[in-house]
Amino acid sequence: MIRAVLFDLDETLIDRTETMRRFLLGQHLRFTDLHSCTDEEYTEACLRYQQNGYADKLTAFTSACIDLGFSSSRLVTEIFEDFKDHYGKEPVLFAGARDTLNMLSQYYRIGLVSNGRTKGQTAKIEASGIAKYFSSICISESVGCKKPDHAIFMTCLRELSVSPSEAVFVGDNPEADIEPAKLLGMRAVWLKNEHFPEPAFCDGVIMSIEELPNMLSKIA
């Protein structure tokens, strides 16, 4: 019997690229030193080095500034600190994410397991209006370990008071989300995307988060 559904955050509920794009447009507006290029030029240069969100952010900003002809290390440091202060305050949810969480929270206990900085991830969760749906929120910086470490998953399961066999994990990254969930004895649903090949073992594949309720019915 499924009693809980656990979610990854970025690229599962939150559109990481569009969230970063929105942040970068605002950052360009805040920094007059960046105005020798357009906001779109700045945004595209920074996105080029994000590596689907996995790049070291200071390195990514440094590379983008070099491409754009900005040689000031002071400017790079300032925009990196600005990123740590402001990123996540204007998150972009995938279509149907809020409605799906609202629906599922009526039948299941809902948890979140996310890698990342506590400040930035918490900002996304709160600003997007989805915090109220989660009975457990486990962010790697706060927990002290990150996916695919089994400990962060088990922390969430304990807080939800469910066993692995009673839970389904939903995520986009086969190595960080799907494989550890399966090894722990959870069912796992992969949100298909262009960045990763389909995992060798999963219990379902969805094209959008809106398909999840039907997939859970099939799994159950």
Side-chain angles (χ1 to χ4, degrees), residues 100-128:
T100 298
L101 288 171
N102 184 53
M103 180 190 304
L104 295 181
S105 65
Q106 300 174 46
Y107 305 100
Y108 306 101
R109 294 180 65 78
I110 307 297
L112 183 73
V113 181
S114 174
N115 287 347
R117 297 179 306 110
T118 301
K119 183 175 181 178
Q121 299 303 76
T122 300
K124 294 176 195 173
I125 295 162
E126 293 180 349
S128 61

Side-chain angles (χ1 to χ4, degrees), residues 105-158:
S105 65
Q106 300 174 46
Y107 305 100
Y108 306 101
R109 294 180 65 78
I110 307 297
L112 183 73
V113 181
S114 174
N115 287 347
R117 297 179 306 110
T118 301
K119 183 175 181 178
Q121 299 303 76
T122 300
K124 294 176 195 173
I125 295 162
E126 293 180 349
S128 61
I130 61 175
K132 61 185 178 182
Y133 299 115
F134 300 107
S135 298
S136 171
I137 296 175
C138 294
I139 300 171
S140 62
E141 185 179 63
S142 298
V143 176
C145 58
K146 64 180 183 178
K147 299 180 295 182
D149 191 322
H150 290 185
I152 192 170
F153 294 91
M154 292 304 300
T155 298
C156 188
L157 290 168
R158 282 194 298 270

